């Protein structure tokens, strides 16, 4: 099953291009872990420790939360960290993070708008993430197991 939960809304002016995102399971559950894998192409070197992320959480048209983070701090809030080359050169780029989703997210259909910039102020990436944490997407009761699904997000051109 392929579901588009993560949409790359960047354009050719962004430093990270050709982005593909894989999220497993594709329908993540509150309080559980999800594996987030990103593959793309950096047009220039980037200091990932200095990338700034603006995160907006929306419920329908209502903005519920807006916060700014450095990329390492954002990952830390989700139980992950940067790995590999923290200052990669231009060329192919890949990161995999095992994220721990908090349980304190409202049970609702949410949109998360993630906009990241480099330390020099250039646009790094822009993602729109649609998450459905309604009751029907809760884990099955103990003893039952739901299958893992993979999602592919593709770069809009």
């Amino acid at each position: 099953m392929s579901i588009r939960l993560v949409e790359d809304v960047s354009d050719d002016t962004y430093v990270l291009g050709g982005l593909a995102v894989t999220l497993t399971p594709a329908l993540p559950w509150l309080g559980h872990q999800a594996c987030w894998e990103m593959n793309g192409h950096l047009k220039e070197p980037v200091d990932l420790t200095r990338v700034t992320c603006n995160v907006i959480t929306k419920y329908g048209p209502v903005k519920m939360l807006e916060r700014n983070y450095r990329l390492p701090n954002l990952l830390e809030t989700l139980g992950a960290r940067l790995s590999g080359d923290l200052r990669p050169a231009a060329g192919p780029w890949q990161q995999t993070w095992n994220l721990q989703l908090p349980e304190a997210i409202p049970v609702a259909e949410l949109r998360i708008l993630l906009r990241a910039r480099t330390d020099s102020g250039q646009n790094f990436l822009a993602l729109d993430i649609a998450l459905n944490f309604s009751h029907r997407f809760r884990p099955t009761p103990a003893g039952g197991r739901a299958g893992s699904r993979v999602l592919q997000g593709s770069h809009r051109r």
Side-chain angles (χ1 to χ4, degrees), residues 46-66:
V46 175
D47 182 347
L48 297 173
T49 66
R50 299 183 52 82
V51 168
T52 303
C53 301
N54 175 256
V55 180
I56 298 172
T57 303
K58 297 179 88 174
Y59 175 67
V62 178
K63 184 190 307 184
M64 296 175 53
L65 176 71
E66 180 173 5

Side-chain angles (χ1 to χ4, degrees), residues 44-113:
E44 61 186 59
V46 175
D47 182 347
L48 297 173
T49 66
R50 299 183 52 82
V51 168
T52 303
C53 301
N54 175 256
V55 180
I56 298 172
T57 303
K58 297 179 88 174
Y59 175 67
V62 178
K63 184 190 307 184
M64 296 175 53
L65 176 71
E66 180 173 5
R67 289 200 58 189
N68 291 309
Y69 300 88
R70 292 264 185 192
L71 180 56
N73 301 110
L74 175 59
L75 291 171
E76 186 178 311
T77 66
L78 296 167
R81 64 183 185 86
L82 286 172
S83 60
D85 188 353
L86 302 181
R87 292 166 186 82
W93 180 72
Q94 189 269 333
Q95 281 281 309
T96 300
W97 301 311
N98 290 312
L99 308 175
Q100 182 66 38
L101 299 178
E103 291 190 43
I105 296 174
V107 177
E109 292 184 34
L110 303 174
R111 283 189 48 228
I112 298 171
L113 310 178

Side-chain angles (χ1 to χ4, degrees), residues 6 9 13 16 26 36 42 53 59 64 74 108 111 119 133:
V6 180
V9 293
T13 65
L16 180 59
W36 175 284
L42 294 172
C53 301
Y59 175 67
M64 296 175 53
L74 175 59
R111 283 189 48 228
D119 61 332
F133 291 121

